[in-house]
Amino acid sequence: MRMPDMMQGLGRRSLRRVPKQERSRDRIDEILKVSMQLIGQKGIDAVTMKEIAALSGGPIASVYQYFPNKSAIIAMLHERYVDDVRSLISEHVGKISTPEEALQATDVLFDLYYHRMRERPSTQDLLNAIQADKTLADVDIAETRFQAEVFFGATKQFVQSDQRDNYLRTLFVMFHMAAATLRLALMVPAEEAAKIVAQFKSIVRTQSTFYFTGSFPASV
């Protein structure tokens, strides 16, 4: 499925100047790298453009040359985060050929995403910043819907035709709940987090099994 231009271009549309030379692209990469580190260390509200410029090795004018404000930096970081998540989804949904593989894919995708978030705690702060920005929050919801539609496209053949609309809506809710569950799991002790993750995966598997077979698992 082709990625919609609206979702791919938000971060790039926020740029004051589109980089054409490798040196300019490297400068943007460094600004984004430092911004992500600072967001993880201090939280988005405490980060300043001046600090980003100083730690990324250039004058503040070199930051404003590309980014008019912090919101533009967050938009670009979100775009790169979206690209990363889409790569995970594309890699696994393309392998689905049976209902059981679809169930396994939901477990694998959630685990991969969870471990990435654990390894990159600054992503949590980035997502919080996105939710605080109305425009980016709306884009994030649209992205969640798109991801659900991608999974739907790869699995709808396992669902009765008269249940497919309900299935798509359920996927949208589950993808949204997955993000909320991850945020919760990252905020509690590891032992409790493992139980929360296991419970959510059980809910997803139970609901998906219903759509694929017409009945809930016997163990529920």
Side-chain angles (χ1 to χ4, degrees):
M1 182 179 295
R2 187 177 69 86
M3 305 297 183
D5 294 338
M6 177 192 74
M7 302 304 297
Q8 284 192 328
L10 179 66
R12 283 183 277 274
R13 288 201 307 272
S14 299
L15 289 173
R16 267 186 169 153
R17 175 182 171 188
V18 177
K20 296 181 179 179
Q21 297 180 348
E22 184 176 353
R23 183 175 63 179
S24 297
R25 290 192 291 270
D26 289 343
R27 178 66 183 138
I28 286 179
D29 287 343
E30 187 61 24
I31 290 170
L32 294 174
K33 176 183 175 183
V34 167
S35 299
M36 196 67 172
Q37 291 171 345
L38 288 172
I39 289 171
Q41 292 168 7
K42 306 173 66 172
I44 185 62
D45 291 337
V47 178
T48 65
M49 296 288 274
K50 183 177 180 180
E51 189 175 24
I52 292 170
L55 294 179
S56 62
I60 193 168
S62 70
V63 177
Y64 281 115
Q65 181 180 14
Y66 300 106
F67 300 99
N69 47 45
K70 279 196 300 184
S71 292
I73 292 177
I74 294 171
M76 181 62 83
L77 288 171
H78 178 254
E79 185 173 303
R80 294 194 172 189
Y81 159 79
V82 164
D83 288 343
D84 190 36
V85 173
R86 286 185 175 191
S87 294
L88 281 178
I89 294 173
S90 297
E91 179 182 353
H92 290 278
V93 299
K95 302 175 183 177
I96 296 173
S97 59
T98 67
E100 183 55 36
E101 288 175 350
L103 293 173
Q104 291 173 356
T106 61
D107 285 352
V108 170
L109 284 170
F110 191 89
D111 286 341
L112 285 172
Y113 189 41
Y114 178 54
H115 289 306
R116 286 199 182 194
M117 294 280 280
R118 280 275 183 198
E119 292 169 0
R120 306 172 190 174
S122 57
T123 303
Q124 173 76 348
D125 297 285
L126 171 64
L127 295 179
N128 290 337
I130 289 165
Q131 296 306 313
D133 184 300
K134 179 65 168 63
T135 299
L136 288 176
D138 288 344
V139 170
D140 195 53
I141 290 173
E143 175 61 23
T144 300
R145 188 185 303 279
F146 173 76
Q147 292 170 8
E149 289 173 350
V150 170
F151 197 85
F152 174 77
T155 58
K156 64 182 179 182
Q157 69 268 28
F158 309 133
V159 179
Q160 294 292 325
S161 58
D162 62 346
Q163 286 294 318
R164 287 178 183 172
D165 287 345
N166 289 335
Y167 175 55
L168 178 56
R169 283 190 290 270
T170 299
L171 284 175
F172 181 37
V173 172
M174 288 195 299
F175 270 75
H176 179 76
M177 288 176 60
T181 301
L182 282 168
R183 286 196 289 270
L184 176 60
L186 291 167
M187 294 173 65
V188 300
E191 183 177 351
E192 184 179 8
K195 293 178 181 178
I196 289 171
V197 168
Q199 183 65 39
F200 178 76
K201 288 164 66 175
S202 175
I203 292 170
V204 172
R205 179 172 280 266
T206 297
Q207 190 66 62
S208 297
T209 298
F210 170 77
Y211 281 111
F212 295 158
T213 67
S215 61
F216 292 109
S219 58
V220 176

